[in-house]
Amino acid sequence: GNSVTQMEGPVTLSEEAFLTINCTYTATGYPSLFWYVQYPGEGLQLLLKATKADDKGSNKGFEATYRKETTSFHLEKGSVQVSDSAVYFCALTIFINTGTASKLTFGTGTRLQVTL
Amino acid sequence: DAGVTQSPTHLIKTRGQQVTLRCSPKSGHDTVSWYQQALGQGPQFIFQYYEEEERQRGNFPDRFSGHQFPNYSSELNVNALLLGDSALYLCASSLAGTVYGYTFGSGTRLTVV
Protein backbone atom coordinates (compact mmCIF):
# COMPACT_ATOMS: atom_id res chain seq x y z
CA GLY A 1 0.00 0.00 0.00
CA ASN A 2 0.90 3.65 -0.04
CA SER A 3 2.63 5.27 2.91
CA VAL A 4 4.40 8.47 3.94
CA THR A 5 7.16 8.72 6.51
CA GLN A 6 8.12 12.03 8.10
CA MET A 7 10.86 12.97 10.48
CA GLU A 8 9.82 12.97 14.09
CA GLY A 9 9.23 16.25 15.85
CA PRO A 10 9.12 18.56 17.47
CA VAL A 11 11.59 20.67 15.56
CA THR A 12 12.63 23.77 17.47
CA LEU A 13 14.44 26.56 15.62
CA SER A 14 15.39 30.14 16.23
CA GLU A 15 13.89 32.78 13.98
CA GLU A 16 15.75 33.13 10.65
CA ALA A 17 17.19 29.61 10.88
CA PHE A 18 17.11 27.19 7.95
CA LEU A 19 14.38 24.55 8.00
CA THR A 20 14.36 21.05 6.59
CA ILE A 21 11.61 18.53 7.28
CA ASN A 22 12.27 15.16 5.70
CA CYS A 23 9.56 13.19 3.93
CA THR A 24 9.85 9.90 2.07
CA TYR A 25 7.10 7.89 0.48
CA THR A 26 6.15 4.47 -0.79
CA ALA A 27 3.57 4.27 -3.53
CA THR A 28 2.23 1.93 -6.16
CA GLY A 29 1.87 4.02 -9.24
CA TYR A 30 2.85 7.60 -9.83
CA PRO A 31 1.85 9.82 -6.93
CA SER A 32 1.27 13.51 -6.60
CA LEU A 33 2.91 14.94 -3.47
CA PHE A 34 1.79 17.65 -1.06
CA TRP A 35 2.74 19.54 2.03
CA TYR A 36 -0.11 20.67 4.27
CA VAL A 37 0.15 22.95 7.30
CA GLN A 38 -2.08 22.90 10.36
CA TYR A 39 -2.11 25.84 12.75
CA PRO A 40 -3.36 25.30 16.30
CA GLY A 41 -7.09 24.63 16.45
CA GLU A 42 -7.50 24.75 12.68
CA GLY A 43 -7.92 22.39 9.73
CA LEU A 44 -5.38 21.70 7.03
CA GLN A 45 -4.14 24.22 4.51
CA LEU A 46 -2.35 23.24 1.34
CA LEU A 47 1.15 24.69 1.46
CA LEU A 48 2.59 23.40 -1.81
CA LYS A 49 2.35 20.52 -4.27
CA ALA A 50 4.22 18.69 -7.03
CA THR A 51 2.63 16.35 -9.53
CA LYS A 52 5.60 14.82 -11.35
CA ALA A 53 9.26 13.96 -10.87
CA ASP A 54 11.67 16.92 -10.56
CA ASP A 55 8.79 19.36 -10.06
CA LYS A 56 9.47 21.95 -7.39
CA GLY A 57 6.53 23.21 -5.38
CA SER A 58 6.91 26.55 -3.66
CA ASN A 59 4.81 28.92 -1.58
CA LYS A 60 5.45 31.55 1.10
CA GLY A 61 9.20 30.86 1.03
CA PHE A 62 8.76 27.10 1.45
CA GLU A 63 10.03 24.72 -1.23
CA ALA A 64 10.00 20.99 -1.89
CA THR A 65 11.28 19.02 -4.87
CA TYR A 66 9.74 15.74 -6.04
CA ARG A 67 12.66 13.27 -6.15
CA LYS A 68 11.57 10.03 -7.74
CA GLU A 69 15.00 8.40 -7.46
CA THR A 70 15.04 8.80 -3.68
CA THR A 71 11.23 8.76 -3.24
CA SER A 72 11.48 11.95 -1.23
CA PHE A 73 9.77 15.32 -0.96
CA HIS A 74 11.67 17.25 1.73
CA LEU A 75 10.31 20.60 2.86
CA GLU A 76 12.75 23.52 3.14
CA LYS A 77 12.67 27.17 4.05
CA GLY A 78 15.66 29.45 4.12
CA SER A 79 14.61 31.66 7.02
CA VAL A 80 11.77 30.68 9.35
CA GLN A 81 9.58 33.08 11.27
CA VAL A 82 7.70 32.70 14.53
CA SER A 83 4.49 32.71 12.49
CA ASP A 84 5.63 29.47 10.78
CA SER A 85 5.10 27.57 14.03
CA ALA A 86 2.61 24.83 13.16
CA VAL A 87 2.33 21.14 12.33
CA TYR A 88 3.42 20.16 8.83
CA PHE A 89 2.07 17.09 7.05
CA CYS A 90 3.49 15.42 3.98
CA ALA A 91 0.89 13.61 1.87
CA LEU A 92 0.44 11.79 -1.41
CA THR A 93 -2.35 10.77 -3.69
CA ILE A 94 -2.58 8.47 -6.68
CA PHE A 95 -4.80 9.59 -9.51
CA ILE A 96 -7.53 7.08 -10.27
CA ASN A 97 -8.77 7.44 -13.80
CA THR A 98 -12.37 6.87 -12.83
CA GLY A 99 -13.44 10.46 -12.61
CA THR A 100 -13.07 10.74 -8.83
CA ALA A 101 -10.22 12.14 -6.82
CA SER A 102 -8.13 9.61 -4.97
CA LYS A 103 -7.69 9.64 -1.21
CA LEU A 104 -4.84 11.44 0.47
CA THR A 105 -2.35 9.41 2.50
CA PHE A 106 -0.69 11.48 5.21
CA GLY A 107 2.42 11.21 7.30
CA THR A 108 2.16 11.57 11.06
CA GLY A 109 3.09 15.24 10.99
CA THR A 110 6.06 17.25 12.24
CA ARG A 111 5.56 20.00 14.77
CA LEU A 112 7.69 23.09 14.17
CA GLN A 113 8.27 25.62 16.90
CA VAL A 114 10.13 28.82 16.05
CA THR A 115 11.41 31.01 18.85
CA LEU A 116 12.73 34.56 18.91
CA ASP B 1 -16.24 32.40 -2.17
CA ALA B 2 -16.98 30.20 0.85
CA GLY B 3 -14.62 27.37 1.54
CA VAL B 4 -15.56 24.11 3.22
CA THR B 5 -17.94 24.55 6.14
CA GLN B 6 -18.27 21.97 8.89
CA SER B 7 -20.69 21.81 11.78
CA PRO B 8 -20.69 21.63 14.67
CA THR B 9 -17.18 22.77 15.63
CA HIS B 10 -17.16 20.88 18.92
CA LEU B 11 -19.23 18.02 20.23
CA ILE B 12 -19.28 15.91 23.38
CA LYS B 13 -21.04 12.54 23.32
CA THR B 14 -21.37 9.58 25.64
CA ARG B 15 -20.15 6.08 24.82
CA GLY B 16 -22.77 4.14 22.88
CA GLN B 17 -24.48 7.21 21.46
CA GLN B 18 -24.74 8.15 17.81
CA VAL B 19 -23.43 11.33 16.19
CA THR B 20 -23.93 13.14 12.88
CA LEU B 21 -21.39 15.58 11.50
CA ARG B 22 -22.09 17.87 8.56
CA CYS B 23 -20.05 19.32 5.72
CA SER B 24 -20.77 21.82 2.97
CA PRO B 25 -18.19 21.68 0.18
CA LYS B 26 -16.46 24.57 -1.47
CA SER B 27 -18.46 26.15 -4.27
CA GLY B 28 -17.80 24.30 -7.53
CA HIS B 29 -16.66 21.09 -5.84
CA ASP B 30 -18.66 17.87 -6.22
CA THR B 31 -16.70 15.33 -4.17
CA VAL B 32 -16.51 15.11 -0.39
CA SER B 33 -14.03 13.05 1.61
CA TRP B 34 -13.95 12.52 5.37
CA TYR B 35 -10.84 12.05 7.50
CA GLN B 36 -10.30 11.21 11.15
CA GLN B 37 -7.35 12.85 12.90
CA ALA B 38 -6.52 11.45 16.31
CA LEU B 39 -4.49 13.64 18.64
CA GLY B 40 -0.88 13.85 17.51
CA GLN B 41 -1.50 11.82 14.35
CA GLY B 42 -1.98 12.44 10.68
CA PRO B 43 -5.46 12.35 9.17
CA GLN B 44 -6.77 8.91 8.22
CA PHE B 45 -9.13 8.49 5.26
CA ILE B 46 -12.63 7.32 6.20
CA PHE B 47 -14.54 7.47 2.90
CA GLN B 48 -15.34 9.56 -0.13
CA TYR B 49 -18.66 10.49 -1.72
CA TYR B 50 -19.31 11.44 -5.30
CA GLU B 51 -22.63 11.55 -7.14
CA GLU B 52 -24.33 10.62 -3.85
CA GLU B 53 -22.51 7.30 -3.67
CA GLU B 54 -19.66 6.05 -1.52
CA ARG B 55 -16.77 5.65 -3.96
CA GLN B 56 -13.83 4.75 -1.76
CA ARG B 57 -13.55 3.60 1.81
CA GLY B 58 -10.67 3.41 4.24
CA ASN B 59 -10.14 0.89 7.01
CA PHE B 60 -13.02 1.93 9.24
CA PRO B 61 -15.81 -0.26 10.63
CA ASP B 62 -19.38 -0.16 9.43
CA ARG B 63 -20.26 2.01 12.44
CA PHE B 64 -19.01 4.83 10.25
CA SER B 65 -21.45 5.69 7.49
CA GLY B 66 -22.17 8.67 5.35
CA HIS B 67 -24.42 10.36 2.90
CA GLN B 68 -24.14 12.91 0.14
CA PHE B 69 -27.05 15.10 -0.86
CA PRO B 70 -27.95 16.45 -4.32
CA ASN B 71 -26.40 19.82 -3.39
CA TYR B 72 -23.08 17.95 -2.75
CA SER B 73 -23.17 18.49 1.01
CA SER B 74 -22.41 15.47 3.14
CA GLU B 75 -22.97 13.89 6.52
CA LEU B 76 -20.80 11.53 8.53
CA ASN B 77 -22.61 9.28 10.97
CA VAL B 78 -20.95 7.26 13.69
CA ASN B 79 -22.99 4.73 15.68
CA ALA B 80 -22.23 3.06 18.99
CA LEU B 81 -19.53 5.56 19.86
CA LEU B 82 -16.35 4.33 21.52
CA LEU B 83 -13.85 6.33 23.52
CA GLY B 84 -11.39 5.75 20.68
CA ASP B 85 -13.63 7.66 18.29
CA SER B 86 -12.58 10.88 20.00
CA ALA B 87 -10.77 12.86 17.30
CA LEU B 88 -10.88 15.80 14.95
CA TYR B 89 -13.05 14.92 11.94
CA LEU B 90 -12.05 16.73 8.79
CA CYS B 91 -14.05 17.15 5.63
CA ALA B 92 -12.29 17.81 2.33
CA SER B 93 -13.97 18.75 -0.91
CA SER B 94 -12.61 18.46 -4.42
CA LEU B 95 -13.61 18.34 -8.06
CA ALA B 96 -13.84 14.91 -9.64
CA GLY B 97 -10.98 14.12 -11.99
CA THR B 98 -8.48 16.41 -10.27
CA VAL B 99 -5.58 15.39 -8.06
CA TYR B 100 -4.69 18.57 -6.23
CA GLY B 101 -7.84 20.54 -5.66
CA TYR B 102 -8.57 19.39 -2.12
CA THR B 103 -9.90 22.02 0.27
CA PHE B 104 -10.23 21.16 3.95
CA GLY B 105 -12.66 22.46 6.51
CA SER B 106 -11.63 23.41 10.02
CA GLY B 107 -13.03 20.18 11.40
CA THR B 108 -15.35 18.97 14.12
CA ARG B 109 -13.74 18.07 17.42
CA LEU B 110 -15.60 15.04 18.80
CA THR B 111 -15.04 14.00 22.39
CA VAL B 112 -16.54 10.72 23.60
CA VAL B 113 -16.83 10.37 27.37
Side-chain angles (χ1 to χ4, degrees):
Chain A
N2 302 325
S3 66
V4 175
T5 302
Q6 290 182 237
M7 63 187 289
E8 298 255 342
V11 174
T12 303
L13 296 173
S14 298
E15 200 169 45
E16 299 184 359
F18 184 85
L19 169 70
T20 299
I21 300 177
N22 291 336
C23 170
T24 56
Y25 67 88
T26 302
T28 54
Y30 208 25
S32 294
L33 302 173
F34 307 84
W35 278 100
Y36 281 85
V37 59
Q38 186 174 39
Y39 297 100
E42 298 185 13
L44 300 175
Q45 299 177 26
L46 178 64
L47 182 59
L48 53 83
K49 63 183 185 290
T51 57
K52 61 183 186 296
D54 299 325
D55 266 2
K56 177 184 282 189
S58 61
N59 186 27
K60 299 180 181 179
F62 290 90
E63 295 183 337
T65 301
Y66 188 147
R67 300 290 187 196
K68 185 181 178 185
E69 63 276 13
T70 54
T71 61
S72 65
F73 192 55
H74 304 321
L75 181 68
E76 296 181 337
K77 187 175 185 182
S79 176
V80 294
Q81 306 298 313
V82 172
S83 57
D84 294 327
S85 298
V87 180
Y88 292 81
F89 292 94
C90 185
L92 68 82
T93 190
I94 304 288
F95 180 68
I96 299 175
N97 192 23
T98 58
T100 62
S102 179
K103 66 176 184 179
L104 285 163
T105 299
F106 288 88
T108 54
T110 302
R111 180 174 299 279
L112 169 67
Q113 184 167 357
V114 181
T115 60
L116 290 171
Chain B
D1 182 20
V4 177
T5 304
Q6 291 188 244
S7 64
T9 54
H10 295 85
L11 202 53
I12 300 175
K13 289 287 189 178
T14 303
R15 258 185 314 176
Q17 285 189 315
Q18 179 265 346
V19 68
T20 297
L21 310 182
R22 295 176 175 82
C23 172
S24 293
K26 180 179 178 179
S27 177
H29 286 179
D30 56 10
T31 302
V32 173
S33 302
W34 287 91
Y35 291 81
Q36 180 195 65
Q37 185 181 14
L39 197 62
Q41 300 297 315
Q44 298 293 313
F45 176 74
I46 302 174
F47 44 54
Q48 179 188 87
Y49 278 83
Y50 170 66
E51 292 186 329
E52 301 180 47
E53 291 185 9
E54 183 182 293
R55 299 292 181 155
Q56 301 180 66
R57 189 177 183 93
N59 189 26
F60 280 80
D62 291 344
R63 298 187 297 109
F64 289 77
S65 63
H67 189 78
Q68 185 180 36
F69 299 94
N71 66 352
Y72 308 120
S73 67
S74 177
E75 289 181 349
L76 163 65
N77 301 293
V78 187
N79 294 322
L81 285 166
L82 304 173
L83 295 180
D85 295 331
S86 296
L88 180 67
Y89 288 85
L90 296 166
C91 172
S93 72
S94 55
L95 184 62
T98 62
V99 295
Y100 45 79
Y102 305 95
T103 300
F104 280 82
S106 297
T108 294
R109 172 72 63 186
L110 172 64
T111 302
V112 182
V113 297

